[in-house]
Amino acid sequence: MKDKRTATIARIAIAIGRNGARPTGLERLASCTLNNAKPGNGGNGGGAPATDAPLPGTQGPNFELAGNVGGIVQPASVTIEYRGNATSKVVAMPKFLKMITGDAKPTSRGPANARATWTCSGFTDRLSAKYVICPTGSQVMRVHDFPSCWDGRNTDSDNHRAHIAFPDSNTGACPAGTKAVPQLRISIAYDLPTDVQQKGQYQLDSFPEENHNPFSDHNDFANVNSDQAMAKITDCVNTGKQCT
């Protein structure tokens, strides 16, 4: 329980730190007790000292989850692109349309919303739900395709999924009653030594209960493109141009 509280508090601190000063002293909130033990007294509940040091259960300046070794791997490149629909023209995304691809917790919630994302450069038509070992000269990649069939009304929903769906995996067509919007694809490439790949020494920094499950790879998006930018994206996709 304490580890889960610690991980949650660390993520709160990270989220706040993206827009302002990272809060300190939050580690005090991670204390918990069992069998009437008092926080900090060495009982079953334990307790975290009131310091500004990294939270227990985390390590490093970015509050990485405990159990990781080595360091954070920076991407060699990131490609962000919008793609069309296989059977119809696309309409512009509305401002502040939100969506999710994949699932952060397929172990506890089940794999229904999880998606295969792992591949190697040169093989992006083949995606895996497992960590990959790439041939010499090929980069390890994560490819995140977002849903692109919008209900035409809502910019969000309670589960962040019901208002926008994925095209049919066989035909590429959107479900009846939905409209195709430009499909966002984010491709992230990493230069990882071959021996690191072969020894299984790279992993996602995910929720602790996921145990670095590669199937927990996921991504979130909120459309903050201006109306003018989205109009250009839509026109580019519908006319088949290669725009930058």
Side-chain angles (χ1 to χ4, degrees):
M1 184 183 295
K2 181 180 176 183
D3 286 345
K4 289 183 178 180
R5 290 184 180 184
T6 297
T8 300
I9 292 167
R11 291 181 180 277
I12 292 172
I14 291 169
I16 295 173
R18 291 190 179 115
N19 297 299
R22 187 189 295 272
T24 60
L26 296 181
E27 65 279 353
R28 291 190 293 273
L29 301 177
S31 299
C32 57
T33 62
L34 293 173
N35 299 329
N36 297 319
K38 299 298 183 182
N41 70 354
N44 291 335
T51 70
D52 291 338
L55 300 175
T58 64
Q59 59 186 19
N62 295 298
F63 288 86
E64 305 95 292
L65 297 184
N68 285 336
V69 296
I72 294 175
V73 179
Q74 298 294 333
S77 65
V78 178
T79 302
I80 300 174
E81 56 188 326
Y82 293 95
R83 309 190 304 161
N85 181 271
T87 64
S88 70
K89 300 288 188 180
V90 301
V91 300
M93 291 183 186
K95 184 70 71 68
F96 304 125
L97 177 67
K98 297 178 181 179
M99 62 183 88
I100 296 174
T101 184
D103 195 329
K105 297 184 177 182
T107 302
S108 55
R109 290 194 288 227
N113 291 315
R115 297 183 65 82
T117 62
W118 298 90
T119 188
C120 302
S121 58
F123 302 89
T124 52
D125 59 330
R126 298 164 54 188
L127 299 179
S128 173
K130 299 181 179 180
Y131 297 120
V132 294
I133 299 175
C134 298
T136 301
S138 181
Q139 295 173 307
V140 171
M141 293 189 67
R142 296 158 59 199
V143 178
H144 297 140
D145 286 330
F146 283 80
S148 57
C149 300
W150 174 47
D151 68 6
R153 301 182 304 278
N154 302 295
T155 57
D156 200 4
S157 50
D158 289 343
N159 63 359
H160 310 301
R161 300 181 191 272
H163 64 298
I164 190 162
F166 284 93
D168 184 271
S169 59
N170 294 316
T171 66
C174 281
T178 65
K179 302 177 180 181
V181 295
Q183 184 182 48
L184 175 63
R185 167 175 280 192
I186 300 178
S187 302
I188 311 168
Y190 299 90
D191 290 324
L192 297 177
T194 300
D195 64 323
V196 168
Q197 298 177 46
Q198 293 174 341
K199 294 176 182 177
Q201 293 177 326
Y202 70 97
Q203 59 190 13
L204 283 172
D205 184 31
S206 190
F207 289 98
E209 60 269 28
E210 295 303 317
N211 295 317
H212 308 287
N213 184 347
F215 211 25
S216 64
D217 203 5
H218 63 285
N219 215 323
D220 305 341
F221 170 77
N223 178 37
V224 293
N225 286 291
S226 67
D227 292 340
Q228 293 82 359
M230 182 51 61
K232 290 181 179 179
I233 291 169
T234 303
D235 178 69
C236 179
V237 169
N238 284 334
T239 55
K241 299 176 182 177
Q242 293 292 327
C243 307
T244 58

